[in-house]
Structure formats: structure tokens, C-alpha cells
Amino acid sequence: MARGNKDNIYSNPLGDVTGFQFDNKVVDVFPDMIQRSVPGYTTIVAMIGTLAERYAQSGSQCYDLGASLGAATLAMRHRIPAADCKIIAVDNSEAMVERCQTVIAADSAPVPVELLCQDIQDARIENASVVVLNFTLQFIAVEQRKAILQKIFEGLRPGGVLIISEKVIFEDAAHGELMIDLHHAFKAANGYSALEIAQKRTALENVLIPETLGQHRDRLREIGFSSVDVWFQCFNFASMIAIK
């Protein structure tokens, strides 16, 4: 993913730091923002393509829920071997969907992509072999998460997979603080100032609500997934695979 415009949204002091939104301002800098903010993001996206290559079933649908600018969609599109698969990419940000449409249109891979502007709570999951929630569930109210995951489970074929990437917290408070410090050091090494880091953290409070890996595992197993575990983690960012 090309970085495009540089993220300087929080580079100047803001009198009132409002809640983070996926608006036009964020869309313009999103590739740079996420690569400089999420350790391992490029690896996660690439491996989503690898996992889709392994698990996409002939005649099925693959979903990218919270698709943003289509990074995971394109990763799947370039690796899925079954020509009769279809990718459905969903995002509730009109600004993201409009830009994503341009990105998808410029790509020539043969797997068809349908792009929908809607809340993932409203998305119908049917005949699915791969479903991706790449740093998406964390922006959904905690009390609504199980219903979304239940709907995904019910829409998956046997042997289908859910790939879920999340920012996480830790039961051990000291370890959690260490991971936060290391994440901030990662952002600083990528050129973010202390002011930018602090203001972005404030903007995400009460918008991005992380949970522990244990909470994610327990909920997914309770829903009925036969196998659930972490396949990638760096600091307080992790990605899990759940198999039906």
C-alpha cells in the first residue's frame, strides 16, 4: 500500500480533540497513518492474502468487513485461486468507500469485488469461506460484538475462517503499560511527535475499545468456532484466526 499524503492531522495543538472519525481528512492520509501507527500492518495484510489463498472455497464469497481503502480486499483478490469466488467489501464511511472504489477500479485482478457502503451490523453474510475483520471490531460497541460474530459464524461454510485483527489490552497491568510504551516508541520512531501521539490517543478514547485476547477467544469459542488462536502479534496489536 502506497503511503500517499503524510498524516499530520494531530501535528498542531488542538483546543478540543474530538472523537476519531473516518472522514475525508483521515481518508487522505490513511495509508500513511496506519502503516506508521500499527506495527506489523503490512505483514498482516499480506498474510490475509495467504490465508485467503488457503481457505477460499470454490463458489463461495469472501468478506472484508470494515474494508477502509481495500488493502485486505486487494490482498485476497490477488491470492484467491478460485475464479468463481467473489469478494464483498463493506465499510460505513462514505469517504472511505468513494476512495476505495477508485482503488479497486484501478486493479486488474480477475476476482470480482462488490463494494457496499453500510454498517457491518447490517451486512448479510452468506455462503462465506473467508471473513476478515481487520482492525474493525474494536470500533463497534462491546455489547454489539457477539451478535456480529454470531452472524458471521452462521454465514460461514464448514471449514470457513474468520480472520480478526485487533488492538488488545492485557490482564497484567504492568505488561499492558509496557506494551503501550513500546507502541508509542514505535510511533515516535516513525516520525510522530509526542503531541501527535497524545492527541491521537485522546481522539481514540471511547471510540476504539480494546479487549483482551482471552475475551476474544472465549467469545469466539462460545459462538461455536472449533479452533481459535493468535497467528500474529506485535506489542498490543494481534491477529487471530477462527475456524468453523
Side-chain angles (χ1 to χ4, degrees):
M1 179 190 290
R3 284 194 173 178
N5 295 328
K6 184 178 181 181
D7 172 25
N8 58 8
I9 292 174
Y10 298 100
S11 60
N12 295 314
L14 300 173
D16 180 26
V17 181
T18 58
F20 186 85
Q21 296 182 5
F22 291 96
D23 54 17
N24 281 305
K25 189 166 52 175
V26 169
V27 169
D28 285 340
V29 301
F30 185 72
D32 180 68
M33 172 186 285
I34 199 160
Q35 288 193 26
R36 293 168 63 206
S37 300
V38 178
Y41 181 77
T42 301
T43 298
I44 290 171
V45 169
M47 292 303 103
I48 285 172
T50 298
L51 289 166
E53 181 179 25
R54 181 182 182 93
Y55 286 102
Q57 299 177 23
S58 179
S60 71
Q61 300 187 134
C62 300
Y63 290 81
D64 183 5
L65 303 178
S68 62
L69 298 185
T73 292
L74 290 181
M76 290 192 287
R77 194 183 198 192
H78 283 262
R79 297 297 296 268
I80 291 174
D84 55 351
C85 278
K86 176 183 179 181
I87 300 172
I88 299 175
V90 181
D91 202 285
N92 68 352
S93 165
E94 291 184 8
M96 281 287 187
V97 170
E98 183 178 345
R99 188 70 59 85
C100 185
Q101 189 68 64
T102 302
V103 173
I104 298 300
D107 180 72
S108 59
V111 178
V113 175
E114 180 180 2
L115 186 58
L116 302 175
C117 185
Q118 65 178 166
D119 289 338
I120 66 170
Q121 291 97 322
D122 300 326
R124 297 175 62 183
I125 311 298
E126 299 174 321
N127 188 32
S129 59
V130 178
V131 178
V132 174
L133 284 165
N134 201 35
F135 301 105
T136 299
L137 196 67
Q138 60 197 23
F139 292 105
I140 302 296
V142 173
E143 63 272 14
Q144 297 174 3
R145 295 177 185 179
K146 185 174 182 180
I148 293 170
L149 295 170
Q150 183 72 50
K151 178 176 66 173
I152 291 170
F153 178 81
E154 291 171 359
L156 275 167
R157 289 182 173 187
V161 297
L162 167 64
I163 303 161
I164 176 170
S165 310
E166 291 277 287
K167 187 175 185 180
V168 297
I169 54 175
F170 300 87
E171 295 177 2
D172 185 308
H175 185 75
E177 285 302 314
L178 172 61
M179 294 300 102
I180 290 171
D181 288 346
L182 290 171
H183 177 222
H184 289 173
F186 168 85
K187 294 179 76 171
N190 280 328
Y192 283 116
S193 67
L195 175 66
E196 287 176 292
I197 294 169
Q199 292 191 140
K200 177 72 173 295
R201 187 176 187 180
T202 299
L204 286 170
E205 285 181 5
N206 303 317
V207 176
L208 189 164
I209 310 297
E211 296 177 282
T212 67
L213 287 170
Q215 287 172 306
H216 285 292
R217 282 194 190 96
D218 290 347
R219 184 167 50 217
L220 291 165
R221 286 173 177 153
E222 183 179 340
I223 286 169
F225 285 96
S226 63
S227 175
V228 180
D229 222 324
V230 174
W231 66 272
F232 179 91
Q233 183 176 351
C234 185
F235 304 146
N236 48 347
F237 292 83
S239 190
M240 308 179 77
I241 182 168
I243 304 173
K244 181 172 179 178

